[in-house]
Amino acid sequence: DAGVIQSPRHEVTEMGQEVTLRCKPISGHNSLFWYRQTMMRGLELLIYFNNNVPIDDSGMPEDRFSAKMPNASFSTLKIQPSEPRDSAVYFCASSPGQSNTGELFFGEGSRLTVL
Amino acid sequence: GENVEQHPSTLSVQEGDSAVIKCTYSDSASNYFPWYKQELGKGPQLIIDIRSNVGEKKDQRIAVTLNKTAKHFSLHITETQPEDSAVYFCAAAETSYDKVIFGPGTSLSVIP
């Protein structure tokens, strides 16, 4: 399996622009997580889905952030409008779900820079 | 909600020495404690985990201990090698399929 695939790997944009980050989880995994990593705040859980349904979005910073999972093989994290403080590495991770060992499989991340 | 603290934030050891990273958690409902290793430019990767019904677990040079009463858990790496250099994260969750909350990370450097 190719693992969790994220795109783009790097994104540089200007303040106020819309940003869309994409994730393809490992086939057969039932849970999907979006994390944000910064030096100041470490790895923060933004939202997670189980069987394509959002279970907990309490980590989403504000209304500018939204996430969707239209099917089992695709998820997006959108920021609109983007701000410089959104600059971070955004990770998507998937997990087999309730029958599993608990391991999260992370993608390589999308590094976002908002100027 | 759960809060995970981790110490030290940076750790430098000589090759062959041991490294110990300590974590505390706040939510007594947490029962699953994984440890992840993150190499530069990559996503975190699970290296070992422990559940609340076990006090200690070993896998080759890595061991984890858990004290549920004190809400402490630790990672021990023996005979460190340069390839152990990375950022290590402890984490906690209620179950192995619940949301995982990470500690702030420890940057480990192993000096050859």
Side-chain angles (χ1 to χ4, degrees), chain B residues 15-19 61 77-81 84:
Chain B
E15 182 177 358
D17 286 351
S18 294
R61 296 185 298 108
I77 306 173
T78 58
E79 299 171 25
T80 53
Q81 300 166 4
D84 294 330

Side-chain angles (χ1 to χ4, degrees), chain A residues 59-84:
Chain A
M60 295 286 262
E62 47 200 273
D63 292 346
R64 297 184 298 106
F65 285 68
S66 62
K68 292 183 180 179
M69 192 164 186
N71 57 63
S73 58
F74 185 65
S75 177
T76 59
L77 178 67
K78 188 174 290 187
I79 309 172
Q80 165 65 14
S82 58
E83 296 183 3

Side-chain angles (χ1 to χ4, degrees), chain A residues 9 33 35 37 43 45 48 56 58 91 97-98 100-104 106-108, chain B residues 32 36 38 41-44 46 49 51 89 96-104:
Chain A
R9 290 295 314 278
F33 303 77
Y35 284 88
Q37 185 173 36
L43 269 167
L45 177 64
Y48 80 100
D56 187 337
S58 58
F91 285 102
Q98 289 200 9
N100 86 107
T101 60
E103 182 171 1
L104 295 178
F106 282 82
E108 296 204 316
Chain B
Y32 174 64
Y36 284 77
Q38 185 178 26
K42 296 189 175 182
L46 181 73
D49 59 17
R51 286 168 171 76
F89 293 94
S96 60
Y97 49 85
D98 211 336
K99 64 181 183 181
V100 177
I101 304 301
F102 286 83

